[in-house]
Amino acid sequence: MELSDSVGHKNGRQRKNTANLQIENMKDRELEGSGPEVEEEAEGLLQGFDSEDRRPAKVRPGLRKELGNILLLLFLYVLQGIPLGLAGSIPLIMQSKSVSYKDQAFFSFVFWPFSLKLLWAPLVDALYFSRFGRRKSWLVPTQYLLGLFMIYLSVTVDSLLQSDDSHGPDVVTLTAVFFMLSFLAATQDIAVDGWALTMLSRENVGYASTCNSVGQTAGYFLGNVLFLALESANFCNQYLRSEPKDTGLVTLSDFLFYGGVVFLISTTLVAIFKRESERGQGKRRAKETQGVLETYKLLFSIIKLPTVLSFCALLLTAKMGFSAADAVTGLKLVEAGVPKEKLALLAVPMVPLQILLPLIISKYTAGPRPLDIFYKAFPFRLLIGLGYALLVWWTPSVKTEEGFPMYYYLLVLFSYALHQVALYSMYVACMAFHAKVSDPLIGGTYMTLLNTVTNLGGNWPSTVALWLVDPLTSKECQGAAGQTCGSLDEAALCAKEGGACVTTLDGYYVESVVCVVIGLVWWLWLGKRMRRLQEESPAAWRCKISQ
């Protein structure tokens, strides 16, 4: 989990964005968004507006008349953000239980569905029960499943996270269940994004993106930052209680149970009381289903373009240099003793900065060469990665019996703010270039494809970086002659013989240096090639199907 994921919101994304990044508004953000992507998705990809949007132009309701629909969309996006926030909190909880970084790498696949949803978005858009409603056909069952999964987890999560001397948390089962939660949330996102385009009138449809970014960020905050704070006994005893107790105000099982109940109740109310227009649905269904194959063919025709293929290859490799800093730093700080809830709360003062940065940076990316900003911010982000490594190295020496001093948290906050400046500079520049080169006749499909590749370019290096920490780490057994610490069994035998495994070389620092070297090579060689893509003519980015 990257530091920004630890204290903010990737699909993640980089998620939703996504950048999403979330998500941080990086999913439609994304990153992402896109929080953890730009989500015009299947509706914009295939059919345009549904029959609900085909009302007479003279009956255009004002904002006040559609306030109920806007609040419903906002609520649906809040629901969507809650399981994403909970999934983002699990790596921090597992890290406090000393799981291996290979386990963290395995769990990181949980954050992939939002970056891959383009693969099944056309199906969600085209296949439905017309009598029940085009969007409700997917929204209702996915939200019911989300609620049931959360209630199931509320019963089993404590045992899944339990660890002792003989075994650690059940990472495989945790990954499977939270992957399903993320997959269902991504599917719900496709349905809600499509419904937003038809639920609101054309004059108010712009509020859909606002509902997306605000709602999902709020939901992520509830499931991640607020949950981690209320789950922490130290935080509750220090700020919320007059008499200290051994537990927080809520437990993970409690939060999951009540969250699941909210999902089930709200979904039932939407299924019963919120109706979709059925006009023209039956006549359009055959055409829409046919559009599924057409969309997949369109995606393939776009990716075959030499310029797009080159650009996608660059997007998939550009973030390798940041993977150690982004994916491992937050976990290393928790390992060094920084309370996970305080690390998560650092997201709060970042919100104004994350709102202002895109507005400021967009002034410099609005011209014909937006990737110049991407190129200039690249080395600064690499240097910040080295700064993160120094921060992790310095952290144990600052810790006292009372915890960490205020100046330490201020320094972490400052370093995170610098990271956000570099990250958003690259993100906004990349999104601006996507908008610049996308074929206007198929802009929704084009943009979504490029954003999907961008998010994948952040996901796979993070997973690999987490996976390699343990193999690159060297430990020796001190206090027990003839024993080693090459595996968990050997470490247990070392402890049984009265010794202790001591880290002689932390793989995180090895990764940090190697990643920066890789990043510099990419910047000097492939970065210039990316800048030259801005010199390609508009025709080089047009696919034949639209010419």
Side-chain angles (χ1 to χ4, degrees):
M1 168 178 291
E2 62 180 304
L3 178 61
S4 58
D5 284 337
S6 305
V7 300
H9 156 32
K10 74 98 191 185
N11 169 2
R13 299 68 218 232
Q14 300 171 7
R15 331 310 153 266
K16 186 165 180 154
N17 116 169
T18 121
N20 168 211
L21 266 222
Q22 358 183 302
I23 78 186
E24 315 189 22
N25 296 330
M26 299 185 60
K27 176 184 170 276
D28 306 288
R29 167 186 142 159
E30 190 265 67
L31 283 235
E32 247 145 355
S34 261
E37 306 149 31
V38 176
E39 301 296 331
E40 295 174 322
E41 268 324 277
E43 185 70 18
L45 310 187
L46 300 178
Q47 287 86 21
F49 291 107
D50 192 23
S51 56
E52 289 182 36
D53 197 42
R54 297 184 176 186
R55 48 193 121 184
K58 61 182 179 181
V59 189
R60 296 208 174 202
L63 177 60
R64 182 175 300 179
K65 203 166 185 179
E66 290 195 305
L67 185 60
N69 287 337
I70 292 175
L71 292 177
L72 174 60
L73 284 176
L74 182 64
F75 179 71
L76 292 175
Y77 282 120
V78 170
L79 288 181
Q80 180 189 125
I82 291 174
L84 298 180
L86 286 171
S89 69
I90 296 300
L92 296 176
I93 295 175
M94 292 197 303
Q95 191 66 14
S96 64
K97 297 179 181 294
S98 301
V99 301
S100 69
Y101 282 93
K102 285 188 176 181
D103 288 336
Q104 293 282 13
F106 189 74
F107 188 83
S108 70
F109 284 107
V110 166
F111 306 107
W112 283 54
F114 266 89
S115 297
L116 298 172
K117 64 183 179 180
L118 180 63
L119 298 178
W120 68 92
L123 297 176
V124 175
D125 189 64
L127 304 179
Y128 58 91
F129 297 103
S130 57
R131 290 188 177 182
F132 189 55
R134 182 179 184 183
R135 305 305 174 186
K136 287 167 61 178
S137 294
W138 289 91
L139 178 74
V140 171
T142 51
Q143 289 198 170
Y144 271 134
L145 287 173
L146 278 165
L148 292 174
F149 265 103
M150 291 175 73
I151 291 176
Y152 163 75
L153 264 178
S154 70
V155 179
T156 61
V157 72
D158 289 337
S159 61
L160 294 176
L161 284 170
Q162 186 177 4
S163 62
D164 51 39
D165 295 336
S166 60
H167 65 85
D170 188 348
V171 177
V172 174
T173 304
L174 282 168
T175 302
V177 176
F178 276 96
F179 184 90
M180 282 303 304
L181 282 177
S182 184
F183 173 80
L184 291 170
T187 305
Q188 187 253 27
D189 180 59
I190 298 168
V192 176
D193 285 348
W195 200 3
L197 296 175
T198 61
M199 187 186 295
L200 302 179
S201 63
R202 286 181 184 268
E203 66 178 4
N204 292 325
V205 76
Y207 288 101
S209 61
T210 303
C211 293
N212 185 310
S213 59
V214 174
Q216 195 180 72
T217 301
Y220 191 94
F221 182 88
L222 291 174
N224 187 281
V225 179
L226 183 63
F227 161 69
L228 288 173
L230 296 181
E231 186 260 353
S232 168
N234 291 334
F235 180 87
C236 293
N237 291 337
Q238 185 173 357
Y239 299 106
L240 303 177
R241 287 185 178 135
S242 56
E243 297 182 4
K245 295 183 179 180
D246 295 332
T247 60
L249 292 178
V250 299
T251 63
L252 179 56
S253 58
D254 292 337
F255 197 93
L256 284 164
F257 177 79
Y258 290 113
V261 170
V262 170
F263 264 91
L264 295 180
I265 293 175
S266 60
T267 303
T268 301
L269 294 176
V270 171
I272 295 174
F273 295 108
K274 183 60 180 175
R275 299 188 179 278
E276 295 184 62
S277 173
E278 298 181 2
R279 292 173 294 172
Q281 296 278 16
K283 298 178 181 179
R284 291 166 55 90
R285 184 169 182 177
K287 182 179 179 181
E288 290 161 353
T289 304
Q290 183 182 6
V292 176
L293 295 177
E294 294 173 353
T295 298
Y296 288 123
K297 290 179 181 178
L298 179 58
L299 291 172
F300 185 66
S301 67
I302 295 172
I303 203 80
K304 285 195 305 181
L305 292 171
T307 49
V308 174
L309 196 60
S310 298
F311 186 49
C312 288
L314 293 170
L315 290 176
L316 287 173
T317 56
K319 296 176 184 176
M320 291 189 298
F322 315 126
S323 57
D326 291 352
V328 189
T329 300
L331 299 177
K332 278 295 178 181
L333 290 177
V334 174
E335 182 182 327
V338 180
K340 58 184 181 298
E341 67 278 1
K342 291 188 177 181
L343 199 60
L345 283 169
L346 292 179
V348 178
M350 286 293 101
V351 172
L353 180 65
Q354 292 164 353
I355 293 173
L356 292 174
L357 279 176
L359 299 176
I360 297 172
I361 297 168
S362 61
K363 297 179 181 179
Y364 301 95
T365 59
R369 300 182 61 87
L371 290 182
D372 288 353
I373 300 298
F374 181 98
Y375 184 80
K376 292 175 181 178
F378 197 97
F380 290 100
R381 189 170 171 186
L382 290 176
L383 290 176
I384 292 170
L386 286 180
Y388 275 176
L390 290 174
L391 177 66
V392 172
W393 173 79
W394 179 60
T395 295
S397 63
V398 184
K399 187 178 180 181
T400 63
E401 292 182 0
E402 292 77 23
F404 291 88
M406 179 58 67
Y407 70 83
Y408 172 80
Y409 289 110
L410 291 176
L411 182 61
V412 173
L413 187 64
F414 177 72
S415 64
Y416 179 49
L418 291 179
H419 179 265
Q420 291 298 286
V421 173
L423 185 149
Y424 271 85
S425 296
M426 296 177 62
Y427 170 71
V428 174
C430 207
M431 293 302 103
F433 187 69
H434 292 179
K436 176 179 178 290
V437 301
S438 293
D439 191 332
L441 297 181
I442 49 173
T445 306
Y446 216 118
M447 286 281 287
T448 305
L449 173 63
L450 294 178
N451 292 331
T452 297
V453 175
T454 301
N455 293 333
L456 285 175
N459 282 341
W460 78 261
S462 295
T463 298
V464 172
L466 288 166
W467 193 275
L468 289 176
V469 172
D470 287 335
L472 292 175
T473 298
S474 298
K475 295 182 178 181
E476 65 179 24
C477 180
Q478 295 183 355
Q483 301 299 324
T484 60
C485 298
S487 66
L488 292 177
D489 292 336
E490 291 176 351
L493 185 58
C494 171
K496 185 177 179 180
E497 296 294 326
C501 288
V502 177
T503 299
T504 56
L505 179 63
D506 195 325
Y508 168 69
Y509 301 116
V510 177
E511 273 194 4
S512 297
V513 174
V514 171
C515 284
V516 169
V517 172
I518 292 174
L520 284 174
V521 172
W522 190 99
W523 181 63
L524 294 172
W525 179 39
L526 296 178
K528 294 179 180 179
R529 185 172 180 179
M530 177 178 274
R531 292 182 73 183
R532 288 198 297 269
L533 286 176
Q534 298 174 116
E535 301 169 5
E536 295 285 347
S537 66
W541 301 91
R542 303 287 188 265
C543 61
K544 294 180 181 179
I545 202 168
S546 67
Q547 289 176 349

